[in-house]
Amino acid sequence: MIGKIHKQMSHDSWLFSKMATPEYTPFVFLLLLFQSSVWGFPSCHATKPGMLNVHLVPHTHDDVGWLKTVDQYFYGDRNDIQHAGVQYILDSVVDQLLKNPDRRFIYVETAFFYRWWKQQTDDMQNTVKQLVNEGRLEFVNGGWCMSDEATTHYSAVIDQMTMGLRFLNDTFGHCGRPRVAWHIDPFGHAREHASMFAQMGYDGFFFGRLDYQDRNRRMVAREQEMLWRASESLTPPMADLFTGILPNGYNPPEGFCWDQSCDDPPIRDDPDLEDYNVDDVVTRFLHIAHGQALVYKTNHIIMTMGSDFQYENANLWYKNLDKLIRYVNQMQSNGSEVNVLYSTPSCYLQELHRANLTWPLKGDDFFPYADSAHDFWTGYFTSRPALKRYERISNSYLQTCKQLEVLGGPISRKGPFGAGDSETLKKAMAVAQHHDAVSGTEKQHVANDYARKLANGWAHYCQTVTELLLVRTTYSLSTLLSLSLSISLYPSLSLSISLYPSLSLSISLYPSLSLSISLYPSLSLSISLYPSLSLTPSYSLYPSIIISPSQSFSPQPSSLLSLCASIVTLRDFLSSLFCVCLSRYNASDGNNSESIQMSGAYIFRPNTSTPFIISKTAKIETLQEVRQWFSPWVSQVVRLYTDSRALELEWTVGPVPIGDDLGKEVISRLDSSINSSGVFYTDSNGREMLQRRKDYRPTWNLRQSEPIAGNYYPINSRAYIKDDKDQLTVVTDRSQGGGSIQDGSLEIMLHRRLLYDDVRGVGEPLNEMSDIYPEGLVVRGRHLLSLSPPATAADTHRPLAQEVVLQPLITFTDGELHPSTRLEFSGLQAVLPPAVHLLTVSQWDQDTVLLRLEHQYQASESKEHSQPVTVNLQVSEKPLPKRGGDPSVWEVSLKPMEIRTFLLRVRQR
């Protein structure tokens, strides 16, 4: 059955003590309770039993950057690129809602609404509050943006959702709280997103895009609405979420678009006019409604009446929708059983709940997404790899600085070196989660703008926090390492280094410093692995097809440069044999002639599948690390640090050559002797691992038309293959696409440079260049490889992935440390249990701190750590009195994959 519409959030309370420090007065942290009262639906129009009720949902889809920057979209600038101005949409919608109390509208992107709200007068703000209170203007989703689901890390998604929902709550109270998640445009859907939405208390989730084969099957079976069981670890219904697939993506039915950007004729209802068309409009609408009802399960169907940046002139839409509702409903007197009404997703969901039906169950995710046989949207898993890495680094920096701001107390937010505008980086990071931002599917000038906003955020927030806490005070809130360097060119130079790891666990650091000379830490190229396991890392590329969409094409063999480095033996030493292989790939589709499209920002469409080795040569250099040059534009450094849990492969790719007029997609492939039997595993947004099987989908019989692109999945932080004895895990430093095309193999796409657009809207090829890289973008990154028995592999890859995501903040200052500097400090009295991750510590307001703890292991993946764990938060140097003598007041229990959020009120003693 469908889960409860209203989820009651759990309430916890305890005292939490902050450790006393020389600078700060001791505080007591008191939990603020989240109250969740039952929210009714007084604003929903009545439906009619026994009739087909058609819920019309007026909406606009406002990308927080895509073809234009977020600023250009808001102000309506650069309409030569795309006509869109969000501020005018909100102006016009509010005006039209006031003219007819029956009308409804939903709004999604809080980033835009926040800007608009700040510009309104008090009278207008009060008017909008009234519209919200009456349910005539309803917020759905409510995050700062509509995030991408393939390339976003869960910690950043939670942050951007928190930012948007907090603004709505602070501004509109309970009536502003979204009850429905609304991801109508992301290009595939992650199970972890559904799990997060369920845990946030959403009642349902609606989206528009899914694989064309999956949709066709679901339409026939009437399974376009389901219960998504979005976690294998959390006890149902904790991660259960009702999920619905919208009928037209997120567009109106064909022929019923009445925006200024639409070409459909208006409803002409003057019977004295020759072009009177009411009868035709009603007939067509009834036909569409009855057809849609055949592929859904209840006597309620939903129609999205709007699209990209529509309702700038809301009068056009509402005037025609008013007429549509009136004239269709008039047909009921002639025996029609169709009832049309203004509605919202939450009102529609309420009617589905009242139907009291049994819904099909969904347990996997909705990747990969394809909209036709040869168009798999798997290229964007890797598109713009530099931006993807910059976003990931920015997230790490933000989490660190939020912790430092809390630990620093009020002094960190005051004075000339205070934190300043902490919202700058938070908002930049929130915008970067948009499904045309970190996804890499925006125009180049927009990608530049996202990066610029992140850089400005660093300058406004983190720079001042670290300057205050790590340099300007004699009491440092970090673990300090004083390192004095004597260099012949600068004999008097003394350098102090501050290290602040934001992780609540012990880590090992292997920094590489460069200051006139290069300083390498002691390296030991010894490794203890399984002597029976062989491993071959290689670099290859897929050429993209040169063809226009309208042409017919018979795939032909094309050249492929395959660059490989074979590690022959991994035992007590590292013995390497390196080679360069020039290979040729056969076409994937035999002799079939088909109309196809090229790779682009969204789509991955290679015309190759099988490599053939032609020659073997290589250039290597062994110092305290192994350096490999496969070509002038592909190199790799192999490092294995003493006592390290992983082998580091630092790759550098670019500029990708295009002199042969072929776009290229560069991959790193790891071939091993592991018997993976066509199965591999990828993470979902950095959290739970999902099983993938080659040429297989769990919910329908796949007709595989793209053996490479159709087997690619998002890898946000790690992927692995395994057999009964061994598990090879690769931890990535950014989101990338990858798959296991051959048994025992993992391939991960590193870089893409393409010469043609893939005709999905962005309108330009993915060919990144700049003043720094006029010949093409150069990208560097890391893969960490670990080999373990499957039963203990998670004990390594779980903390390893967190270390890569949340890297220590390293700051430098010249001169000796002040004698009174405390060289070591921890915000915790003790390291948290290995299963517990300190997800968020952030200043909420002047007297309140937000704390999130999570259990970072899945059920059954670790014998040692996949168990419920209890954390005692009494970490002060001096114990505080226990309330009522109850020791449990200090304890927080976490089950596998559970996240718990608390607001702690800081009260001065």
Side-chain angles (χ1 to χ4, degrees):
M1 301 295 292
I2 184 173
K4 289 194 304 180
I5 287 292
H6 308 291
K7 298 186 178 181
Q8 185 70 25
M9 303 182 71
S10 59
H11 302 319
D12 305 270
S13 62
W14 67 90
L15 293 174
F16 180 92
S17 170
K18 180 182 184 296
M19 178 165 43
T21 66
E23 278 74 25
Y24 311 118
T25 305
F27 297 99
V28 175
F29 288 2
L30 299 176
L31 178 70
L32 294 181
L33 298 182
F34 287 108
Q35 299 293 338
S36 178
S37 59
V38 175
W39 171 259
F41 294 84
S43 64
C44 296
H45 290 304
T47 59
K48 294 188 176 182
M51 287 194 174
L52 175 60
N53 292 278
V54 183
H55 295 249
L56 303 183
V57 178
H59 81 106
T60 180
H61 174 59
D62 298 342
D63 289 304
V64 187
W66 178 39
L67 306 183
K68 304 197 296 189
T69 69
V70 60
D71 299 337
Q72 291 166 350
Y73 271 134
F74 179 76
Y75 284 104
D77 193 13
R78 291 303 308 272
N79 283 340
D80 57 311
I81 299 175
Q82 180 185 11
H83 186 96
V86 174
Q87 61 173 330
Y88 309 119
I89 293 173
L90 292 168
D91 289 341
S92 183
V93 164
V94 170
D95 176 69
Q96 290 299 310
L97 289 176
L98 294 173
K99 292 182 177 180
N100 183 346
D102 288 339
R103 293 171 176 175
R104 299 290 181 268
F105 194 79
I106 64 169
Y107 200 73
V108 180
E109 293 84 9
T110 308
F112 282 134
F113 186 85
Y114 170 86
R115 287 190 179 200
W116 180 84
W117 178 260
K118 295 296 183 182
Q119 296 178 357
Q120 305 310 305
T121 64
D122 291 343
D123 287 343
M124 177 56 73
Q125 289 184 353
N126 290 331
T127 297
V128 173
K129 286 182 179 179
Q130 187 64 27
L131 290 173
V132 173
N133 291 339
E134 294 173 359
R136 295 156 65 183
L137 173 62
E138 180 176 307
F139 296 101
V140 297
N141 212 66
W144 205 246
C145 69
M146 186 186 298
S147 63
D148 180 54
E149 298 191 43
T151 63
T152 48
H153 192 266
Y154 72 98
S155 61
V157 172
I158 292 173
D159 278 356
Q160 75 90 10
M161 290 298 299
T162 299
M163 177 173 287
L165 294 173
R166 181 186 182 185
F167 168 75
L168 295 178
N169 183 71
D170 291 349
T171 306
F172 300 104
H174 190 70
C175 291
R177 171 180 170 255
R179 301 180 295 280
V180 169
W182 185 259
H183 269 214
I184 55 177
D185 197 26
F187 329 118
H189 304 280
R191 194 176 73 175
E192 189 59 38
H193 263 71
S195 178
M196 288 187 287
F197 287 143
Q199 294 177 72
M200 290 175 190
Y202 283 88
D203 301 329
F205 179 34
F206 292 93
F207 61 76
R209 298 185 188 270
L210 77 162
D211 186 278
Y212 73 102
Q213 293 184 50
D214 192 7
R215 178 186 286 276
N216 291 340
R217 186 202 68 81
R218 289 182 178 277
M219 289 175 68
V220 173
R222 301 176 79 181
E223 293 186 354
Q224 295 196 87
E225 291 161 334
M226 71 211 77
L227 187 65
W228 197 348
R229 183 148 291 165
S231 173
E232 297 174 1
S233 299
L234 297 171
T235 304
M238 193 171 182
D240 288 355
L241 188 65
F242 181 87
T243 301
I245 299 165
L246 298 170
N248 302 298
Y250 57 85
N251 297 310
E254 185 176 354
F256 292 86
C257 183
W258 290 304
D259 191 70
Q260 61 191 18
S261 63
C262 302
D263 297 324
D264 296 335
I267 297 178
R268 302 183 294 265
D269 55 350
D270 186 342
D272 295 331
L273 297 181
E274 183 178 346
D275 54 359
Y276 174 84
N277 66 350
V278 170
D279 294 340
D280 175 65
V281 169
V282 170
T283 299
R284 286 189 293 110
F285 184 84
L286 291 176
H287 177 74
I288 290 173
H290 285 300
Q292 184 176 326
L294 294 176
V295 296
Y296 285 86
K297 204 168 183 178
T298 75
N299 65 322
H300 293 268
I301 60 174
I302 187 172
M303 292 184 182
T304 47
M305 306 307 285
S307 192
D308 290 358
F309 298 99
Q310 293 193 359
Y311 285 79
E312 190 171 321
N313 183 350
N315 180 53
L316 295 176
W317 261 112
Y318 280 115
K319 195 166 189 176
N320 284 278
L321 287 174
D322 288 346
K323 292 179 181 181
L324 179 69
I325 293 171
R326 180 168 71 254
Y327 292 127
V328 172
N329 287 348
Q330 282 179 0
M331 297 298 293
Q332 295 172 16
S333 61
N334 296 328
S336 171
E337 295 182 349
V338 174
N339 181 55
V340 189
L341 62 150
Y342 279 116
S343 189
T344 68
S346 60
C347 292
Y348 173 68
L349 184 60
Q350 174 191 231
E351 297 300 332
L352 298 184
H353 177 61
R354 287 173 174 170
N356 199 28
L357 300 179
T358 299
W359 304 95
L361 199 65
K362 169 78 171 178
D364 58 319
D365 65 3
F366 289 92
F367 286 118
Y369 164 60
D371 58 12
S372 64
H374 297 287
D375 297 317
F376 281 85
W377 297 41
T378 55
Y380 82 96
F381 299 161
T382 299
S383 295
R384 302 196 187 279
L387 179 63
K388 282 178 165 63
R389 177 59 183 157
Y390 192 43
E391 179 274 337
R392 186 64 56 87
I393 295 172
S394 299
N395 182 41
S396 175
Y397 202 10
L398 175 59
Q399 302 309 321
T400 296
C401 291
K402 288 194 297 187
Q403 289 186 17
L404 290 174
E405 184 180 356
V406 171
L407 294 175
I411 192 175
S412 68
R413 301 183 293 279
K414 297 178 180 179
F417 300 105
D421 183 10
S422 63
E423 297 301 304
T424 305
L425 181 55
K426 294 176 183 177
K427 290 176 182 175
M429 270 299 299
V431 165
Q433 307 314 304
H434 170 56
H435 59 268
D436 285 308
V438 66
S439 60
T441 55
E442 64 280 314
K443 282 185 177 290
Q444 184 64 56
H445 79 104
V446 180
N448 296 342
D449 185 66
Y450 288 132
R452 186 183 305 112
K453 281 180 165 54
L454 289 171
N456 290 339
W458 285 43
H460 279 82
Y461 181 32
C462 291
Q463 180 177 339
T464 51
V465 171
T466 54
E467 192 168 332
L468 170 71
L469 298 178
L470 303 182
V471 179
R472 297 302 178 104
T473 65
T474 59
Y475 180 80
S476 178
L477 300 182
S478 64
T479 300
L480 293 179
L481 168 66
S482 180
L483 175 63
S484 296
L485 304 177
S486 296
I487 303 175
S488 58
L489 294 177
Y490 307 98
S492 62
L493 176 62
S494 178
L495 182 66
S496 298
I497 305 176
S498 299
L499 305 176
Y500 182 85
S502 60
L503 282 171
S504 55
L505 50 83
S506 299
I507 62 174
S508 299
L509 298 178
Y510 307 97
S512 177
L513 306 179
S514 179
L515 184 63
S516 297
I517 62 172
S518 295
L519 305 176
Y520 294 97
S522 176
L523 289 172
S524 174
L525 292 179
S526 63
I527 187 168
S528 297
L529 295 172
Y530 302 96
S532 62
L533 181 65
S534 62
L535 178 67
T536 305
S538 66
Y539 288 86
S540 307
L541 61 84
Y542 292 109
S544 65
I545 300 167
I546 301 177
I547 185 170
S548 65
S550 61
Q551 289 179 281
S552 180
F553 175 69
S554 297
Q556 300 294 324
S558 60
S559 297
L560 170 75
L561 182 63
S562 176
L563 308 163
C564 66
S566 303
I567 299 180
V568 177
T569 307
L570 290 173
R571 194 170 185 177
D572 295 327
F573 59 94
L574 184 67
S575 174
S576 300
L577 171 67
F578 303 102
C579 65
V580 171
C581 321
L582 182 63
S583 303
R584 186 174 297 276
Y585 270 40
N586 284 335
S588 60
D589 289 340
N591 295 320
N592 295 330
S593 288
E594 301 188 52
S595 179
I596 58 176
Q597 290 181 326
M598 309 80 69
S599 284
Y602 300 89
I603 291 174
F604 175 31
R605 176 55 171 110
N607 65 332
T608 59
S609 58
T610 307
F612 297 90
I613 297 177
I614 296 176
S615 64
K616 299 181 179 180
T617 58
K619 176 184 177 182
I620 65 170
E621 179 179 296
T622 304
L623 301 171
Q624 290 174 300
E625 58 192 17
V626 178
R627 301 180 180 180
Q628 307 164 247
W629 286 267
F630 304 111
S631 79
W633 56 277
V634 179
S635 62
Q636 177 174 269
V637 179
V638 183
R639 301 186 182 99
L640 185 64
Y641 300 101
T642 304
D643 299 325
S644 174
R645 295 168 292 174
L647 179 72
E648 179 183 292
L649 302 179
E650 184 182 79
W651 48 268
T652 304
V653 177
V656 177
I658 52 174
D660 54 2
D661 293 326
L662 283 175
K664 299 174 180 67
E665 288 146 320
V666 183
I667 66 167
S668 172
R669 198 173 82 183
L670 301 167
D671 294 321
S672 76
S673 57
I674 290 176
N675 183 19
S676 58
S677 301
V679 175
F680 68 110
Y681 300 79
T682 65
D683 67 304
S684 183
N685 297 120
R687 293 205 85 215
E688 292 198 50
M689 305 297 297
L690 279 75
Q691 184 188 88
R692 313 295 193 182
R693 188 181 297 273
K694 183 183 176 185
D695 296 332
Y696 174 78
R697 304 292 187 265
T699 56
W700 82 91
N701 295 324
L702 173 69
R703 297 188 304 275
Q704 184 61 276
S705 52
E706 286 292 327
I708 307 299
N711 285 300
Y712 257 56
Y713 292 85
I715 300 172
N716 194 271
S717 65
R718 57 200 177 278
Y720 64 78
I721 53 175
K722 66 177 182 178
D723 56 21
D724 293 339
K725 296 186 300 180
D726 303 311
Q727 178 170 318
L728 170 64
T729 305
V730 180
V731 174
T732 66
D733 67 351
R734 73 202 73 191
S735 290
Q736 297 172 314
S740 180
I741 308 302
Q742 304 293 334
D743 283 356
S745 170
L746 271 177
E747 69 176 57
I748 299 175
M749 188 182 292
L750 309 179
H751 198 356
R752 315 181 73 219
R753 189 178 188 187
L754 307 168
L755 305 182
Y756 298 90
D757 177 46
D758 55 11
V759 198
R760 289 306 183 276
V762 75
E764 65 183 32
L766 185 65
N767 185 10
E768 296 184 275
M769 295 177 288
S770 68
D771 293 339
I772 300 176
Y773 295 115
E775 301 301 318
L777 182 67
V778 179
V779 185
R780 176 172 293 166
R782 291 192 307 155
H783 287 161
L784 299 180
L785 278 59
S786 68
L787 286 162
S788 307
T792 60
D795 299 340
T796 297
H797 73 69
R798 283 284 173 189
L800 189 63
Q802 293 287 16
E803 289 180 28
V804 173
V805 171
L806 298 173
Q807 297 184 3
L809 175 65
I810 304 177
T811 61
F812 303 86
T813 183
D814 57 348
E816 298 286 347
L817 292 172
H818 192 280
S820 63
T821 299
R822 184 174 177 179
L823 296 182
E824 188 171 335
F825 171 82
S826 175
L828 296 173
Q829 183 74 1
V831 174
L832 291 175
V836 178
H837 176 223
L838 187 64
L839 179 58
T840 309
V841 176
S842 179
Q843 195 71 36
W844 187 254
D845 55 32
Q846 188 67 27
D847 301 318
T848 313
V849 170
L850 179 76
L851 171 68
R852 284 196 183 96
L853 297 174
E854 68 165 320
H855 195 304
Q856 64 174 335
Y857 283 83
Q858 287 178 234
S860 305
E861 74 174 352
S862 169
K863 292 181 179 179
E864 184 177 357
H865 301 309
S866 291
Q867 305 295 329
V869 62
T870 298
V871 181
N872 192 306
L873 295 181
Q874 189 174 0
V875 295
S876 64
E877 292 177 338
K878 297 180 179 180
L880 291 176
K882 299 173 183 176
R883 292 192 297 176
D886 182 5
S888 65
V889 74
W890 299 98
E891 295 178 349
V892 175
S893 296
L894 293 163
K895 299 175 183 177
M897 284 289 108
E898 185 177 10
I899 299 175
R900 296 186 64 178
T901 301
F902 309 98
L903 281 181
L904 307 173
R905 176 163 290 162
V906 182
R907 187 175 65 197
Q908 191 171 15
R909 271 186 181 172

